[in-house]
Amino acid sequence: MLSGLGIFDAGQGVARYQSVETHPEARSRGLAGTLVHTAGEWARQTLGTRTLVIVADPGYHAQHLYERVGFRPTEIQLGFQRRPALA
C-alpha cells in the first residue's frame, strides 16, 4: 500500500480523519491529497457530514498538503505528558 487513511463519523455531522499516511518513496504524487478529497466527498454523501476535521502538527509537511486541498487552521490542539516518577 502506498497511501491510506481512515475517516470516522464523530456524530452530529462531523467526520474526523485519522492516520493519513503515504510511503516515503511515494510522496509528492498527489496520493494523500486525492485520498483526503475522496474520503471527504464519501463522508458528505454517505454519512451526511457537514464538517470535516483533520489534525496536523503545524511544523510537519502534511499541514501544507491539507491546506492545498482546502483545509484551514481553526484551532490549536495542545498535549501534555507527565514523566513517571523515578522508582
Side-chain angles (χ1 to χ4, degrees), residues 22-47:
T22 300
H23 189 281
E25 294 177 10
R27 290 187 179 146
S28 300
R29 296 184 193 175
L31 299 174
T34 299
L35 284 175
V36 167
H37 173 78
T38 302
E41 289 303 309
W42 176 85
R44 285 187 172 110
Q45 293 172 9
T46 306
L47 304 175

Side-chain angles (χ1 to χ4, degrees), residues 1-86:
M1 185 168 85
L2 297 178
S3 189
L5 60 74
I7 190 161
F8 298 89
D9 186 353
Q12 300 180 341
V14 177
R16 177 182 54 83
Y17 291 90
Q18 180 78 27
S19 301
V20 179
E21 298 180 19
T22 300
H23 189 281
E25 294 177 10
R27 290 187 179 146
S28 300
R29 296 184 193 175
L31 299 174
T34 299
L35 284 175
V36 167
H37 173 78
T38 302
E41 289 303 309
W42 176 85
R44 285 187 172 110
Q45 293 172 9
T46 306
L47 304 175
T49 297
R50 295 181 309 278
T51 303
L52 294 165
V53 176
I54 198 163
V55 178
D57 182 343
Y60 192 58
H61 69 271
Q63 178 77 27
H64 300 293
L65 178 142
Y66 302 145
E67 290 179 11
R68 282 195 308 269
V69 295
F71 285 87
R72 297 290 172 255
T74 58
E75 297 180 20
I76 295 173
Q77 182 178 24
L78 299 174
F80 296 92
Q81 184 174 5
R82 184 176 182 180
R83 291 182 184 213
L86 297 175

